[in-house]
Amino acid sequence: MSGSEGTAKRRTVTLHMVSSLDGFIAKPDNSVSWMDNPGSIYEAGVSISQEEIAAFLEAIDCYVMGSRTYEHALELGWPYGDTPVVVVSGREWPPARKSVEFYSGDLKTLVDVKLAPRYRNIWVVGGAMLCQRFLELGLVDEIKLTIAPVLLGEGLRLFGGSLSEERWNLKNVVAYKNGFVELSYSAAGA
Ligand SMILES: NC(=O)c1ccc[n+]([C@@H]2O[C@H](COP(=O)([O-])OP(=O)(O)OC[C@H]3O[C@@H](n4cnc5c(N)ncnc54)[C@H](OP(=O)(O)O)[C@@H]3O)[C@@H](O)[C@H]2O)c1
């Protein structure tokens, strides 16, 4: 793996998800194509160029995801380039691309022992099950939640269903021209 090895700065774990207005991250058939369909143009919103997106993604040192999200990403077409990806799974997997490694075990150990010494900007990108576990364990520093302008009615619930009450601090809101809104929060006390 490459990355920010040897940096003294503290790592940040950012949890990023895209949710429908009614709190689903995938349809019952797992499809996420609703994310690609913009609503009507929101004139006051911002738009970002491909170059800005590329620069933003460049700053992410490592992605962490559950095995179901990994399987779905393989099906849809790998969106993570050569950025290191850790797939959390208790199963055996066939050899994958060079940037991917599999991890089975305690998630706090994953973050503190395996990732923190190597990476500063760590993104947990789903799915519901893994994100719920990261939140339960208090391993998340920031939540970036993008709300898509669509009601799905049913599907896979954002963060699963059994988190306890916890306050987060709103840090930023960005409304995009395509009707998506990105909400950024930091953990209370962070
Ligand atoms: N809208 C969005 O932003 C977004 C983002 C990501 C994913 N998604 C969608 O969400 C769906 C997948 O989410 P999901 O909740 O079903 O699954 P998931 O969280 O992606 O993966 C669950 C799997 O991860 C492994 N896992 C999770 N926690 C673990 C732990 N503490 N220790 C060990 N292994 C652990 C297990 O793998 P094993 O069974 O292999 O042991 C578990 O079955 C897909 O449809 C995907 O497209 C949507």
Side-chain angles (χ1 to χ4, degrees):
M1 273 192 189
S2 61
S4 34
E5 292 186 27
T7 55
K9 282 193 174 167
R10 185 182 183 274
R11 79 341 186 238
T12 300
V13 175
T14 301
L15 188 159
H16 179 252
M17 297 285 262
V18 182
S19 169
S20 68
L21 278 175
D22 47 351
F24 296 109
I25 63 157
K27 283 188 172 184
D29 65 358
N30 264 336
S31 67
V32 290
S33 54
W34 49 272
M35 285 187 205
D36 305 327
N37 299 330
S40 57
I41 296 293
Y42 175 56
E43 289 298 349
V46 299
S47 53
I48 47 172
S49 66
Q50 288 306 316
E51 290 75 22
E52 286 169 311
I53 294 172
F56 181 80
L57 295 178
E58 185 78 9
I60 298 173
D61 296 319
C62 164
Y63 294 99
V64 180
M65 66 187 67
S67 67
R68 290 191 206 152
T69 295
Y70 172 64
E71 287 173 309
H72 207 198
L74 290 178
E75 267 171 53
L76 296 177
W78 192 247
Y80 305 104
D82 292 328
T83 304
V85 169
V86 174
V87 178
V88 181
S89 173
R91 287 182 273 161
E92 287 292 321
W93 291 84
R97 33 194 314 142
K98 258 174 86 176
S99 57
V100 172
E101 71 174 88
F102 297 94
Y103 176 85
S104 170
D106 179 60
L107 295 179
K108 187 162 166 39
T109 305
L110 169 66
V111 171
D112 292 345
V113 178
K114 213 169 153 55
L115 301 182
R118 285 187 290 182
Y119 306 118
R120 202 158 70 85
N121 192 8
I122 300 163
W123 274 43
V124 179
V125 289
M129 190 186 287
L130 190 68
C131 288
Q132 181 180 15
R133 201 69 196 114
F134 262 80
L135 287 167
E136 278 171 355
L137 292 168
L139 293 173
V140 179
D141 303 300
E142 296 178 357
I143 295 175
K144 276 191 189 295
L145 181 61
T146 303
I147 308 291
V150 60
L151 291 168
L152 293 179
E154 57 179 342
L156 185 61
R157 280 245 164 255
L158 176 70
F159 307 153
S162 60
L163 289 170
S164 49
E165 182 173 331
E166 191 178 288
R167 294 204 74 82
W168 286 70
N169 300 323
L170 182 65
K171 290 294 180 183
N172 198 29
V173 178
V174 183
Y176 292 97
K177 275 215 176 335
N178 64 2
F180 284 59
V181 180
E182 187 185 86
L183 305 167
S184 302
Y185 299 89
S186 67

